[in-house]
């Protein structure tokens, strides 16, 4: 599939884009194993994108992120996982754990690359799109706001990660 995408992109003079769609509408966790040769070939193109789409949402790695993962994974396959998690507490919020592992090691550093993530979110009756914010959650529990948009047509929250982590979706009416 990677070879075909690279050849088509070269023929059309466009950026190669690989999208893997997984049938997983009810799954709480989805993992995809990617062989090192497929990632290596894709990483050689400076405009490539790699996406995984499933019932939990869509994760798209840009070329720099693909290169960073390929470099850190080396000759090993990597596993991209999207898991639904719920933040504990009185005001529980939907959350997701976006992770990549290779040879038992977690890869979080995208070396200047990005992962654009889109996940389902239905606005409440009194909620406005601008109040939906995705926060990356650090290992120590600290949060940092991600660049976030809400698409009313697809009812998804889209946010950008500069390193892979858990993310919580929060509604803030003051935003």
């Amino acid at each position: 599939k990677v070879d075909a995408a690279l050849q088509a992109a070269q023929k059309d003079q466009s950026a190669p884009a690989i999208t893997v769609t997984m049938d997983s509408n009810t799954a709480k966790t989805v993992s995809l194993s990617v062989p090192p040769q497929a990632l290596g070939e894709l990483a050689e193109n400076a405009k490539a994108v790699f996406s995984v789409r499933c019932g939990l949402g869509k994760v798209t790695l840009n070329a720099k992120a693909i290169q960073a993962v390929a470099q850190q994974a080396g000759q090993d396959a990597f596993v991209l996982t999207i898991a639904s998690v719920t933040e504990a507490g009185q005001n529980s919020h939907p959350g997701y754990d976006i992770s990549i592992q290779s040879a038992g090691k977690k890869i979080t550093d995208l070396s200047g690359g990005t992962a654009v993530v889109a996940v389902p979110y239905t606005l409440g009756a009194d909620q406005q799109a601008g109040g939906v914010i995705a926060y990356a959650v650090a290992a120590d529990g600290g949060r940092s706001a991600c660049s976030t948009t809400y698409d009313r047509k697809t009812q998804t929250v889209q946010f950008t990660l500069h390193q892979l982590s858990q993310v919580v979706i929060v509604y803030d009416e003051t935003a």
Side-chain angles (χ1 to χ4, degrees):
K1 187 170 182 175
V2 172
D3 288 338
L6 291 171
Q7 289 172 2
Q10 189 174 32
K11 181 180 175 184
D12 299 343
Q13 296 183 341
S14 61
I18 303 288
T19 299
V20 177
T21 301
M22 301 173 69
D23 184 16
S24 61
N25 289 335
T26 60
K28 297 286 185 198
T29 300
V30 174
S31 295
L32 173 70
S33 181
V34 179
Q37 64 275 16
L39 187 65
E41 291 173 24
L42 202 55
E44 291 175 8
N45 190 296
K47 295 181 180 179
V49 294
F50 176 76
S51 301
V52 175
R53 180 189 309 266
C54 63
L56 292 170
K58 181 179 178 184
V59 176
T60 301
L61 301 176
N62 71 0
K64 281 189 174 184
I66 294 168
Q67 291 164 357
V69 171
Q71 182 178 23
Q72 293 173 69
Q75 294 303 310
D76 296 310
F78 79 90
V79 178
L80 174 80
T81 301
I82 307 166
S84 175
V85 296
T86 301
E87 183 181 59
Q90 182 180 2
N91 297 318
S92 63
H93 301 287
Y96 298 87
D97 188 3
I98 314 297
S99 64
I100 293 178
Q101 286 199 0
S102 179
K105 182 182 88 172
K106 205 167 196 177
I107 296 174
T108 59
D109 182 8
L110 298 179
S111 300
T114 59
V116 175
V117 182
V119 295
Y121 183 89
T122 302
L123 287 175
D126 59 342
Q127 293 182 343
Q128 299 298 317
V132 180
I133 304 170
Y135 287 96
V137 181
D140 65 3
R143 295 182 184 183
S144 58
C146 302
S147 174
T148 309
T149 58
Y150 182 78
D151 185 329
R152 288 182 185 276
K153 183 177 179 182
T154 61
Q155 293 189 337
T156 57
V157 176
Q158 182 173 303
F159 52 92
T160 302
L161 296 172
H162 297 280
Q163 72 176 35
L164 301 178
S165 66
Q166 284 196 359
V167 176
V168 63
I169 310 298
V170 175
Y171 182 76
D172 181 354
E173 61 189 38
T174 63

